[in-house]
Amino acid sequence: MDSNDSGRVISGPTNPMVTPLLTDHYQFTMAYAYWKASKHQERAVFDLYFRKNPFGGEYTIFAGLEECVRFISNYKISEDQIHFIKNNLPPSCEVYAIPEGTVVFPKVPLMRIEGPVAVVQLLETPIVNLINYASLVSTNAARHRFVAGKSKTLLEFGLRRAQGPDGGVSASKYCYIGGFDATSNVAAGRLFGIPLRGTHSHAFVSSYMSLGEITEKSLRKKDGSSTCVDFVSLVQKWLNKIKWSDSLCGIFSDTNKSELTAFISYALAFPDNFLALVDTYDVMRSGVPNFCAVALALSDLGYKAVGIRLDSGDLAYLSCESRKFFCSIEKEFELPGFGKMSITASNDLNEETLDALNKQGHEVDAYGIGTYLVTCYAQAALGVVFKLVEINNQPRIKLSEDVSKVSIPCKKRIYRLYGKETYPLVDLITGENEPPPKVGQRILCRHPFQESKRAYVVPQHVEELQRCYCAGSSDKKRETLPPLKDIRERCIKQLEQMRPDHMRRLNPTPYKVSVSAKLYDYIHFLWLNEAPVGELQ
Amino acid sequence: MDSNDSGRVISGPTNPMVTPLLTDHYQFTMAYAYWKASKHQERAVFDLYFRKNPFGGEYTIFAGLEECVRFISNYKISEDQIHFIKNNLPPSCEVYAIPEGTVVFPKVPLMRIEGPVAVVQLLETPIVNLINYASLVSTNAARHRFVAGKSKTLLEFGLRRAQGPDGGVSASKYCYIGGFDATSNVAAGRLFGIPLRGTHSHAFVSSYMSLGEITEKSLRKKDGSSTCVDFVSLVQKWLNKIKWSDSLCGIFSDTNKSELTAFISYALAFPDNFLALVDTYDVMRSGVPNFCAVALALSDLGYKAVGIRLDSGDLAYLSCESRKFFCSIEKEFELPGFGKMSITASNDLNEETLDALNKQGHEVDAYGIGTYLVTCYAQAALGVVFKLVEINNQPRIKLSEDVSKVSIPCKKRIYRLYGKETYPLVDLITGENEPPPKVGQRILCRHPFQESKRAYVVPQHVEELQRCYCAGSSDKKRETLPPLKDIRERCIKQLEQMRPDHMRRLNPTPYKVSVSAKLYDYIHFLWLNEAPVGELQ
């Protein structure tokens, strides 16, 4: 795996926390036991999958693959890291996986890793760790996008609520994949090229006391033609004009001076990117009028203000009132476009609050979402598992009294079958050497464990889902890792392609995952033979 | 801050993800705006605190301080990292904080950071990030310990469910602080010296097929006096003996051969640490008998098996049945101590399931807890905030229509007042220069915002909570950072010291946090003066 046709695998941002030691202790004890038993070189096949979609939904976005491929490609254990494994482990694993950003479903193997059993066993914990949160938070982001709608701008603001630094960086990366537009996390912006967004905090506003603090009051016009020597007075003039204007008269009296000072100061620093947090004191009686006065003064000098951010209170009501205020100013002072000033909302938002905003009617253009997004508050873990399905070419099945925990044995292939209306109809799992399903063919799709659940499907299009990402010692062609933007686009496209009833928030229809007739028979043959005598399965 | 009397601050394990860029974008825009306004050197004071205890409880463990001190002490921004800040920032912040591992309560400033406003503002996001999850997961660990009881061994098994690699490493560290005994996470074990625990997985069991796979069958006696040439036959002999023994006859017939092979193989690798996962097939009809046969064979050679792990099914029932089985063997084969074989349980455990186990009665000695612990499933975030309380020696207050969001202004001191029975009675916040409360003195403690809530307290002991952790350019003596073990011991001691009604799981009594009469008056004076005209607060 050292030779590599994709530069992105070896170089590029690697999380320095992801070392071979980032694994459960029992992986090392097992590796040692395998070695003691001369069993460590036996070729094993493990599948990675999950059992239940998160958030009460019927889908999941697969994410974290690139980190896994990178981790496996660079896997080394040095002498100083570990005593009982003296040499580097053979980088001889083959990795097959569904492309990152794909919409995936329970029971479908997301990754299959083949290699010496002791080595693959060591990979279990880090691989599960890397996929579990990545896929969970991508899915969460996609769900927020679904409720917010395509036209809104979604900003990930979760860094301070994430599970430590890396939780924050992962959150930013995978929310972007799931359809967010930008992040506040500078480290993630730098590592992954995700667009950055952010303005200022309440502390910035309250750090100012009075207009006298602004000593450098001049601002050059955007076209450079001249300089306004007293921007502060220009703002005050506008504030007075608004206050006594026909349509706005009486809405507010004196605005907060700390806030006005902070806004002017911020505008002087960023005349091209003036976005103000308007709820430190009172949105309609101080924040919005102060913002408008500064925006109008900027407009005099040829600059276009960006908009406001609301971080508390009744966001639906305040956004509508702010919009009305902007529109009145557009009309009163004949400033086309002023009414379309961007409104960002950002107070403890989640799927439910976005949905409630939609129902009430609002004028929000962009959402900044943090806590509920990055912590996956609604469901803090996805149960990704990594199960042995074959060793030494012998299929292995994990039985359980709970039928949902029985694993599907053997090396397998996964196909997505599409119907007439271009929607995916069903995922079909077959044995590795079965002939692939063909377009136009009548194919029996069976529930892996329930005898009675079966259906014939005639696909209009067939897509094999797993591809080779690490070729090990084989000469298989390996997939290159796409840039983050492409993964994000794949994800957005995949979500659009799904039949709407699978995607709706309330009572979505489960998407079907099936096995071929041949694989079904084989599973049940093994089941009977593996169950210990006297065990009722 | 480069000179440092505590070696642990500068060297030692630092999370490589924690760089100055790990911050929200708006921190940089604000820093720039402060600089543009020539305001960046103004001395600001920020408090870090939270508003509500997590998990429906009435306490929180403070954690993450060491990482913060380390981060601040090493804060540098290089040219390649950022364009508009050309030189390293002055390492001139003073940090005051409550010691890590302390039981803390809402509204109490956990940390106070003083320094140039632009610099301290840059610290906001990483500091909140480092404290938020650390304190949340420590508290979660402490709550699990409370339900499990002192005598049980608690193992953190959460790595694969954490928010990415660093989430996993942080989880292991802070669960240890909160009272866990060990982790499965090898990286955390190496970084922090936390004891490691772990045996093998279901995959290890199902990777074996038959006894024929064991080629090296010999095992030397523990005392080295001789070697048993066929350990496999010895185990089989014991399995047969158990099967037909008087007290166990009929409990099981043939046990699963994969499992028996895996157990023997594992015992040959770790004869001194044989702990077997017994639920791959059937606990009572295969796993436990197989385990006992291997343990008895080991015992013949002078080794003492450790015990079993249960990872599915009815843990209360299965632990009791396993215990009975062990006791029967102890009696039947006259092996003192065999009945006390350790039983570990580890299937989706959380506070509720531990509580349910206690109510049912069980024989579990150790718990392995993962998902619910590290993801803080019951509440995935702690709302830690970082608020400006003073700038240029002027107090700042953040008002809000929601009174719980009003900040307590000024530089402050925090005292814990203890009563006769050595329980802490109340935390008292005073202005920085007020005389400290004295033992035996009658002290008026007031709710910071509610006029009517007040009480006199006569403390038997007074403890000032905040200490200096970074001295900045001052010559204050700085606290050294204690080793992790000491933090853990502090936490355990602190929890034991609390009045039991604050700690109980159902309807705990809130612990009181108050302000001095003087600070109360000052807060309300500022409140009246800060509120904008026309605003109802």
Side-chain angles (χ1 to χ4, degrees):
Chain A
M1 268 182 288
D2 280 331
S3 72
N4 195 311
D5 52 356
S6 160
R8 298 196 65 240
V9 176
I10 301 297
S11 66
T14 298
N15 186 329
M17 293 302 296
V18 188
T19 75
L21 290 193
L22 190 80
T23 193
D24 285 314
H25 185 239
Y26 77 174
Q27 311 289 13
F28 283 108
T29 58
M30 287 191 279
Y32 178 74
Y34 283 132
W35 174 78
K36 270 296 272 190
S38 306
K39 193 183 166 72
H40 56 292
Q41 290 285 15
E42 288 185 4
R43 191 149 186 91
V45 181
F46 283 76
D47 276 348
L48 180 93
Y49 58 99
F50 61 95
R51 297 188 182 114
K52 201 176 167 303
N53 288 305
F55 311 120
E58 288 295 348
Y59 70 95
T60 298
I61 307 295
F62 175 46
L65 175 61
E66 179 175 333
E67 287 276 0
C68 291
V69 172
R70 211 183 280 290
F71 173 69
I72 293 168
S73 299
N74 295 304
Y75 197 96
K76 279 204 180 64
I77 294 185
S78 64
E79 276 203 54
D80 100 85
Q81 281 181 322
I82 196 86
H83 292 299
F84 59 78
I85 300 184
K86 291 261 173 173
N87 300 310
N88 293 346
L89 290 163
S92 52
C93 294
E94 288 168 44
V95 176
Y96 301 86
I98 295 173
E100 200 158 352
T102 304
V103 174
V104 291
F105 306 97
K107 296 197 285 281
V108 171
L110 309 172
M111 293 175 79
R112 180 178 94 219
I113 306 190
E114 305 181 27
V117 65
V119 178
V120 185
Q121 190 65 69
L122 281 175
L123 299 178
E124 175 178 13
T125 308
I127 296 295
V128 172
N129 174 289
L130 290 170
I131 298 292
N132 190 73
Y133 176 64
S135 297
L136 184 71
V137 78
S138 298
T139 307
N140 205 15
R143 296 182 65 90
H144 281 78
R145 165 59 73 193
F146 183 82
V147 186
K150 266 191 203 181
S151 66
K152 302 299 172 190
T153 300
L154 291 185
L155 315 169
E156 178 268 312
F157 281 179
L159 177 54
R160 66 188 66 189
R161 297 286 173 248
Q163 277 187 11
D166 183 63
V169 172
S170 306
S172 305
K173 176 177 174 181
Y174 295 111
C175 288
Y176 186 63
I177 286 182
F180 270 57
D181 297 298
T183 179
S184 68
N185 182 344
V186 180
R190 184 156 186 276
L191 278 168
F192 307 118
I194 303 170
L196 288 171
R197 287 286 287 274
T199 55
H200 65 81
S201 68
H202 294 117
F204 183 81
V205 172
S206 56
S207 74
Y208 287 87
M209 313 274 288
S210 71
L211 289 170
E213 286 173 75
I214 300 177
T215 46
E216 176 51 56
K217 299 178 183 182
S218 68
L219 181 62
R220 184 180 274 263
K221 276 194 178 177
K222 187 166 166 75
D223 64 10
S225 60
S226 65
T227 295
C228 162
V229 290
D230 191 350
F231 186 69
V232 177
S233 296
L234 183 62
V235 171
Q236 284 178 301
K237 197 194 75 187
W238 270 113
L239 191 58
N240 222 30
K241 269 200 200 175
I242 308 171
K243 193 168 165 181
W244 301 111
S245 80
D246 292 341
S247 53
L248 301 167
C249 185
I251 288 186
F252 68 97
S253 53
D254 286 339
T255 61
N256 184 283
K257 286 290 166 285
S258 293
E259 185 178 66
L260 184 63
T261 313
F263 286 1
I264 294 172
S265 183
Y266 197 80
L268 286 168
F270 298 102
D272 275 315
N273 274 297
F274 179 56
L275 198 159
L277 177 62
V278 294
D279 68 336
T280 306
Y281 300 101
D282 185 303
V283 173
M284 295 315 300
R285 282 180 290 192
S286 183
V288 167
N290 277 340
F291 165 78
C292 288
V294 177
L296 287 162
L298 283 173
S299 172
D300 280 352
L301 307 182
Y303 298 99
K304 206 176 162 317
V306 175
I308 60 168
R309 178 159 74 95
L310 299 166
D311 191 40
S312 61
D314 182 337
L315 300 173
Y317 171 79
L318 291 172
S319 67
C320 292
E321 289 300 303
S322 302
R323 180 70 67 211
K324 271 192 229 160
F325 202 102
F326 297 149
C327 290
S328 298
I329 285 182
E330 168 165 348
K331 210 175 149 194
E332 179 108 8
F333 302 106
E334 288 168 16
L335 273 168
F338 200 97
K340 294 206 170 61
M341 200 63 79
S342 164
I343 301 176
T344 302
S346 63
N347 182 33
D348 277 350
L349 298 175
N350 59 26
E351 276 188 69
E352 278 67 40
T353 49
L354 295 185
D355 194 45
L357 279 171
N358 289 342
K359 283 176 183 148
Q360 290 167 72
H362 65 86
E363 286 288 340
V364 176
D365 303 298
Y367 296 105
I369 309 182
T371 308
Y372 290 92
L373 179 67
V374 307
T375 64
C376 298
Y377 216 95
Q379 181 177 327
L382 176 69
V384 171
V385 294
F386 190 70
K387 294 291 170 196
L388 180 70
V389 293
E390 187 180 300
I391 188 160
N392 273 336
N393 300 313
Q394 297 294 311
R396 302 310 282 159
I397 184 169
K398 155 111 176 57
L399 301 182
S400 171
E401 285 166 42
D402 177 357
V403 77
S404 76
K405 287 194 166 185
V406 175
S407 65
I408 301 177
C410 314
K411 271 196 216 180
K412 299 174 289 288
R413 290 182 187 267
I414 332 294
Y415 300 93
R416 186 155 289 178
L417 311 186
Y418 293 78
K420 268 181 242 168
E421 297 163 279
T422 73
Y423 297 134
L425 292 177
V426 63
D427 282 5
L428 177 69
I429 307 174
T430 73
E432 203 205 8
N433 298 317
E434 286 186 58
K438 286 196 188 77
V439 169
Q441 196 181 20
R442 199 160 162 263
I443 297 156
L444 179 59
C445 296
R446 301 199 61 166
H447 187 287
F449 307 119
Q450 292 180 36
E451 174 74 36
S452 62
K453 290 197 178 170
R454 47 167 87 196
Y456 280 98
V457 171
V458 182
Q460 301 301 306
H461 172 59
V462 173
E463 184 189 11
E464 183 165 4
L465 292 184
Q466 281 195 349
R467 302 171 191 180
C468 177
Y469 284 90
C470 294
S473 47
S474 81
D475 57 358
K476 293 210 177 83
K477 205 186 155 295
R478 40 177 298 169
E479 204 68 22
T480 52
L481 293 173
L484 192 61
K485 269 186 144 181
D486 293 5
I487 299 176
R488 180 172 184 269
E489 273 162 36
R490 177 183 180 84
C491 177
I492 292 169
K493 228 171 137 182
Q494 284 260 319
L495 289 163
E496 282 172 358
Q497 210 180 32
M498 293 301 299
R499 213 172 62 200
D501 59 318
H502 297 309
M503 311 310 283
R504 68 183 171 221
R505 284 189 66 233
L506 289 179
N507 302 318
T509 314
Y511 179 84
K512 289 196 176 48
V513 172
S514 63
V515 297
S516 67
K518 206 168 161 188
L519 183 56
Y520 178 90
D521 292 341
Y522 196 53
I523 292 169
H524 293 264
F525 165 77
L526 287 172
W527 197 328
L528 287 173
N529 283 278
E530 284 276 334
V533 176
E535 187 171 357
L536 295 169
Q537 292 288 351
Chain B
M1 270 183 287
D2 281 332
S3 73
N4 194 311
D5 53 355
S6 160
R8 298 197 63 241
V9 176
I10 301 296
S11 64
T14 300
N15 186 330
M17 294 301 298
V18 188
T19 76
L21 291 193
L22 190 79
T23 193
D24 285 315
H25 184 240
Y26 78 173
Q27 311 289 12
F28 283 108
T29 59
M30 288 192 280
Y32 178 75
Y34 283 132
W35 175 79
K36 270 294 272 189
S38 304
K39 192 182 166 75
H40 56 293
Q41 289 285 16
E42 288 184 5
R43 193 151 183 89
V45 181
F46 283 76
D47 276 349
L48 180 92
Y49 59 98
F50 60 95
R51 298 188 181 114
K52 199 173 168 305
N53 288 306
F55 311 120
E58 289 295 348
Y59 70 95
T60 298
I61 307 296
F62 175 46
L65 175 61
E66 179 175 333
E67 287 276 358
C68 290
V69 172
R70 210 184 279 290
F71 173 69
I72 293 167
S73 301
N74 295 303
Y75 198 95
K76 279 203 178 67
I77 293 186
S78 65
E79 278 204 52
D80 101 84
Q81 281 181 322
I82 196 85
H83 291 300
F84 59 78
I85 301 182
K86 291 263 173 172
N87 300 310
N88 293 347
L89 289 163
S92 52
C93 294
E94 288 169 44
V95 176
Y96 301 87
I98 295 173
E100 200 159 353
T102 304
V103 175
V104 292
F105 305 97
K107 296 196 285 283
V108 171
L110 309 173
M111 295 177 77
R112 179 178 95 220
I113 306 189
E114 305 180 27
V117 64
V119 178
V120 186
Q121 189 65 68
L122 281 176
L123 299 177
E124 176 178 14
T125 309
I127 296 295
V128 172
N129 173 290
L130 289 170
I131 298 293
N132 190 73
Y133 177 64
S135 296
L136 183 72
V137 78
S138 297
T139 307
N140 204 16
R143 297 182 64 89
H144 281 80
R145 165 60 73 193
F146 183 83
V147 186
K150 266 192 203 181
S151 66
K152 301 300 173 190
T153 301
L154 292 185
L155 316 169
E156 177 267 312
F157 281 179
L159 177 54
R160 66 188 67 190
R161 296 288 173 246
Q163 277 186 10
D166 184 62
V169 172
S170 307
S172 304
K173 175 177 176 181
Y174 296 112
C175 288
Y176 186 64
I177 285 182
F180 270 56
D181 298 298
T183 179
S184 68
N185 181 345
V186 180
R190 184 155 186 276
L191 278 168
F192 307 117
I194 303 169
L196 287 173
R197 289 284 287 272
T199 55
H200 65 80
S201 68
H202 294 118
F204 183 81
V205 172
S206 56
S207 75
Y208 286 87
M209 313 274 286
S210 72
L211 290 169
E213 287 173 73
I214 301 177
T215 46
E216 177 51 58
K217 300 178 183 181
S218 68
L219 181 62
R220 184 179 273 264
K221 276 193 179 178
K222 188 166 165 76
D223 64 10
S225 62
S226 65
T227 295
C228 162
V229 289
D230 191 351
F231 185 70
V232 177
S233 296
L234 183 62
V235 172
Q236 285 178 301
K237 195 193 76 188
W238 271 112
L239 191 58
N240 222 30
K241 269 200 203 175
I242 308 170
K243 192 169 166 181
W244 300 111
S245 81
D246 292 343
S247 54
L248 300 167
C249 184
I251 289 187
F252 67 98
S253 52
D254 286 340
T255 61
N256 184 284
K257 286 290 166 286
S258 293
E259 185 178 66
L260 185 64
T261 312
F263 288 2
I264 294 173
S265 183
Y266 196 80
L268 286 167
F270 299 101
D272 275 317
N273 273 299
F274 179 56
L275 198 158
L277 176 63
V278 292
D279 68 337
T280 307
Y281 300 101
D282 185 304
V283 172
M284 295 316 300
R285 283 181 288 191
S286 183
V288 167
N290 277 339
F291 164 79
C292 288
V294 177
L296 288 161
L298 283 172
S299 173
D300 279 353
L301 306 182
Y303 298 100
K304 208 179 161 316
V306 175
I308 60 167
R309 178 158 74 93
L310 299 167
D311 190 41
S312 61
D314 182 336
L315 300 172
Y317 171 80
L318 291 172
S319 67
C320 293
E321 289 300 303
S322 302
R323 181 70 67 212
K324 270 191 231 162
F325 202 103
F326 296 150
C327 290
S328 297
I329 286 182
E330 169 164 350
K331 210 174 150 195
E332 179 108 8
F333 302 107
E334 288 168 15
L335 274 169
F338 200 97
K340 294 206 170 59
M341 200 63 76
S342 165
I343 301 176
T344 302
S346 62
N347 182 33
D348 277 350
L349 298 175
N350 58 27
E351 276 188 70
E352 279 65 42
T353 49
L354 294 185
D355 193 46
L357 279 172
N358 289 342
K359 283 175 182 149
Q360 290 167 72
H362 65 86
E363 286 288 340
V364 176
D365 302 297
Y367 296 106
I369 309 183
T371 307
Y372 290 92
L373 179 67
V374 307
T375 64
C376 297
Y377 216 96
Q379 181 177 326
L382 177 68
V384 171
V385 294
F386 189 71
K387 294 290 169 196
L388 180 71
V389 293
E390 189 181 297
I391 188 159
N392 273 337
N393 299 314
Q394 298 294 312
R396 302 309 282 160
I397 183 169
K398 155 110 176 55
L399 302 181
S400 169
E401 285 167 40
D402 178 357
V403 77
S404 77
K405 287 195 165 184
V406 175
S407 66
I408 300 177
C410 313
K411 269 196 218 181
K412 299 173 288 287
R413 288 181 189 269
I414 332 293
Y415 299 95
R416 186 156 291 178
L417 311 186
Y418 292 79
K420 267 181 243 169
E421 296 163 279
T422 74
Y423 296 134
L425 292 177
V426 64
D427 282 5
L428 176 69
I429 307 174
T430 74
E432 205 205 7
N433 298 317
E434 285 187 58
K438 287 195 187 78
V439 168
Q441 197 183 19
R442 198 161 163 264
I443 298 156
L444 179 59
C445 297
R446 300 199 62 167
H447 187 287
F449 307 119
Q450 292 180 37
E451 175 73 38
S452 62
K453 289 197 178 170
R454 46 167 87 195
Y456 281 97
V457 171
V458 182
Q460 302 302 306
H461 172 59
V462 173
E463 183 189 11
E464 184 167 3
L465 292 184
Q466 280 195 350
R467 302 169 190 182
C468 177
Y469 283 90
C470 293
S473 47
S474 82
D475 56 357
K476 293 210 178 82
K477 203 185 154 296
R478 41 176 298 170
E479 202 70 22
T480 51
L481 293 173
L484 191 63
K485 268 187 142 179
D486 293 7
I487 300 175
R488 179 172 184 268
E489 272 162 35
R490 178 182 180 84
C491 176
I492 292 169
K493 229 172 137 182
Q494 284 260 321
L495 290 163
E496 280 172 359
Q497 211 180 30
M498 294 302 298
R499 213 172 62 200
D501 59 319
H502 298 309
M503 312 310 282
R504 67 182 171 223
R505 282 189 67 232
L506 288 178
N507 302 319
T509 314
Y511 180 84
K512 290 196 174 50
V513 172
S514 64
V515 298
S516 67
K518 207 169 161 188
L519 183 56
Y520 179 90
D521 291 341
Y522 196 53
I523 293 169
H524 293 266
F525 165 77
L526 287 172
W527 197 327
L528 287 173
N529 283 277
E530 283 277 336
V533 176
E535 187 170 358
L536 296 168
Q537 290 290 349

